[in-house]
Amino acid sequence: MQTDDLINLLAKDARTSVRFGHVFLIALVIGVVISALLLLSTLGIRKNMVEAIETPRVMFKLGLTLLLAITSTRLAFLIGKPGVSLRAAALALLLPLTALLIGIAAELFVVPRAAWGTSLEGHFSSFCLVFVPMLSIAPLAAILYSVRQGAPESPGKAGAVAGLAASGIAAAIYAWHCPDDSPLFLATWYALGILVVTAAGFLLGRRVLRW
């Protein structure tokens, strides 16, 4: 390969990387805004959020879902770039998982055994199972669209990561309404909603991200 050809190839790759980054960011912002507006126009923010946000449980719930949204979205961004190592970004997903396990342990230690079932069941589990996937639709469409502009090496895996990121974003948004604050509730109903969207992302990715 001639030197000029190599320079042109590197320049083309750099332009493609910058373009993908811009597309991903713009699509992500649009998806998040649509999801947030959907929550505000339907359920709205929790009525006592000003007081509730000062409690450890609510702060933990908001922080945990935000951490999941950030780490999974970073992985979704990187998975659209061929040849980029995903190891560090994938390992970062252990952060929200570890935090959740610590939260569960603290919950079981503080809450009496007789109340564990009530904490796990919550009051609005059906709302959680409906609204986490619903609020995931716009972010999932945005992430799949932007990842499609890149070059994911495994369409199914990329779709699953897109679903995880979208549901993480949805969970972080829904958490501002959800009146169920127990880590046991998060580990059950939020996790089920996230699993559904991740599976949907895998199936969609196999179709729309194939190249």
Side-chain angles (χ1 to χ4, degrees):
M1 180 180 291
Q2 299 296 321
T3 302
D4 290 343
D5 293 336
L6 178 60
I7 293 175
N8 290 333
L9 181 60
L10 292 174
K12 182 178 179 181
D13 287 342
R15 288 194 299 270
T16 300
S17 178
V18 170
R19 183 167 62 249
F20 172 71
H22 287 167
V23 169
F24 189 92
L25 179 60
I26 293 172
L28 180 64
V29 169
I30 292 174
V32 171
V33 169
I34 292 175
S35 184
L37 290 176
L38 179 59
L39 177 75
L40 292 174
S41 62
T42 53
L43 299 177
I45 300 296
R46 182 172 174 170
K47 292 182 179 180
N48 66 334
M49 180 55 81
V50 175
E51 297 81 14
I53 200 171
E54 298 178 358
T55 63
R57 274 180 162 190
V58 174
M59 291 181 64
F60 176 80
K61 179 177 65 175
L62 295 177
L64 177 68
T65 53
L66 180 60
L67 180 60
L68 174 61
I70 292 173
T71 53
S72 56
T73 299
R74 179 171 179 265
L75 180 59
F77 173 71
L78 294 176
I79 208 168
K81 296 183 174 184
V84 175
S85 175
L86 304 176
R87 180 178 176 82
L91 288 175
L93 293 176
L94 294 175
L95 294 174
L97 177 59
T98 301
L100 178 59
L101 294 176
I102 294 173
I104 291 173
E107 180 85 350
L108 296 179
F109 180 77
V110 173
V111 176
R113 182 184 296 270
W116 289 357
T118 302
S119 296
L120 186 150
E121 184 177 354
H123 298 91
F124 298 97
S125 56
S126 58
F127 271 73
C128 185
L129 288 178
V130 169
F131 273 90
V132 168
M134 183 182 297
L135 295 175
S136 299
I137 294 175
L140 179 58
I143 294 173
L144 286 175
Y145 169 78
S146 57
V147 171
R148 183 178 171 83
Q149 311 310 307
E153 298 176 356
S154 173
K157 183 187 298 183
V161 171
L164 178 62
S167 55
I169 292 169
I173 293 173
Y174 177 69
W176 285 86
H177 166 82
C178 180
D180 293 304
D181 304 321
S182 171
L184 294 174
F185 186 91
L186 293 175
T188 304
W189 305 107
Y190 275 70
L192 283 174
I194 290 170
L195 181 61
V196 168
V197 180
T198 301
F202 173 78
L203 296 175
L204 287 171
R206 294 183 66 182
R207 294 176 62 87
V208 305
L209 299 180
R210 187 182 304 164
W211 60 285

